[in-house]
Amino acid sequence: QEISDFQSLFAETADRNEIVVTFLAILELGRLQKIRVLQHVTYGTIYVVLRDRVTLETIQKLFDTGDSYAYTRPAEQPARA
């Protein structure tokens, strides 16, 4: 899978400890530059991508399909004269 969202890493019955430990592991993998952690809006979905699989196409796919409930592209501002 190219992109995984944070929530899909857990079973429906995950407890708080499991979520916290996994989140810390993701932060550590990001620090070690093994993965990229992407979130394009505050409180939006957190995405995890293997670092060697990140491309502009992958990121564009994320912006085009992810967080449709929380993310809207800003309207283009008219050029100022």
Side-chain angles (χ1 to χ4, degrees):
Q1 202 173 24
E2 251 182 41
I3 300 171
S4 294
D5 64 277
F6 183 71
Q7 203 168 21
S8 72
L9 300 175
F10 304 101
E12 293 289 324
T13 58
D15 65 359
R16 182 181 300 195
N17 290 334
E18 185 178 352
I19 294 169
V20 170
V21 168
T22 302
F23 184 71
L24 291 174
I26 287 171
L27 291 177
E28 181 66 11
L29 287 169
R31 186 186 72 79
L32 295 172
Q33 299 185 357
K34 300 292 183 185
I35 62 172
R36 297 284 314 251
V37 180
L38 307 167
Q39 181 183 36
H40 50 265
V41 293
T42 304
Y43 302 114
T45 302
I46 298 170
Y47 294 95
V48 180
V49 185
L50 287 174
R51 188 144 185 108
D52 61 347
R53 295 210 179 168
V54 173
T55 63
L56 289 175
E57 184 179 298
T58 303
I59 293 173
Q60 187 63 45
K61 179 180 172 185
L62 173 67
F63 282 109
D64 288 345
T65 61
D67 277 349
S68 58
Y69 66 92
Y71 175 75
T72 55
R73 291 179 191 262
E76 289 194 26
Q77 299 296 323
R80 293 186 182 204

